[in-house]
Amino acid sequence: MLETSRQDITVRGSHGTETDELVRKLLEKVEQPNTDSGKGLVEPYFCTGDEAASLVEAGSSGDAPIITKGQQQFRWNDRDRPIAQVFRRMGGLDKSVSVQIPSRKATIQQQT
């Protein structure tokens, strides 16, 4: 049902449809990252601020990202969505940003 609905609102062969398909294929292949050093290379570290500081100071995190808990210094309000608050804090919202998959060829599909 969802697949049928999706096809009804997208233009087959359009750049957006092709991008959707690429992202879907990527998401079908993803796996949970390894966080246990006993099972091989640790992909991300989930830790407290103190644990993160120790990893960074020791240089033992390698290239793995460090994700901390309880380190939020900004107090969110209940009036706006967090993403709106983030953008408001960033400033310079008049900038134009292009989001794309650079290895893809551009496709232009004229609707008839």
Side-chain angles (χ1 to χ4, degrees):
M1 177 77 172
L2 180 60
E3 187 64 30
T4 302
S5 298
R6 195 175 131 241
Q7 288 176 356
D8 290 344
I9 60 172
T10 59
V11 178
R12 291 179 192 262
S14 71
H15 188 73
T17 302
E18 290 179 22
T19 301
D20 288 349
E21 186 64 20
L22 286 171
V23 171
R24 185 187 62 77
K25 286 178 181 178
L26 285 171
L27 292 174
E28 286 178 347
K29 295 182 181 196
V30 298
E31 297 176 359
Q32 289 292 327
N34 178 35
T35 58
D36 182 356
S37 60
K39 294 181 180 178
L41 182 66
V42 172
E43 296 169 313
Y45 288 93
F46 294 94
C47 46
T48 66
D50 291 338
E51 292 167 337
S54 295
L55 281 171
V56 170
E57 288 170 7
S60 59
S61 68
D63 292 330
I66 299 172
I67 301 158
T68 59
K69 181 178 180 181
Q71 300 300 300
Q72 180 59 257
Q73 297 177 4
F74 180 71
R75 181 172 234 116
W76 303 105
N77 69 46
D78 294 334
R79 294 183 305 273
D80 295 317
R81 294 175 48 204
I83 192 69
Q85 295 175 58
V86 167
F87 283 130
R88 199 170 26 257
R89 286 177 55 101
M90 285 173 39
L93 298 179
D94 56 345
K95 296 177 184 173
S96 178
V97 177
S98 176
V99 179
Q100 59 189 349
I101 300 174
S103 61
R104 296 252 346 266
K105 293 179 184 175
T107 57
I108 300 174
Q109 188 83 20
Q110 290 187 351
Q111 296 182 3
T112 56

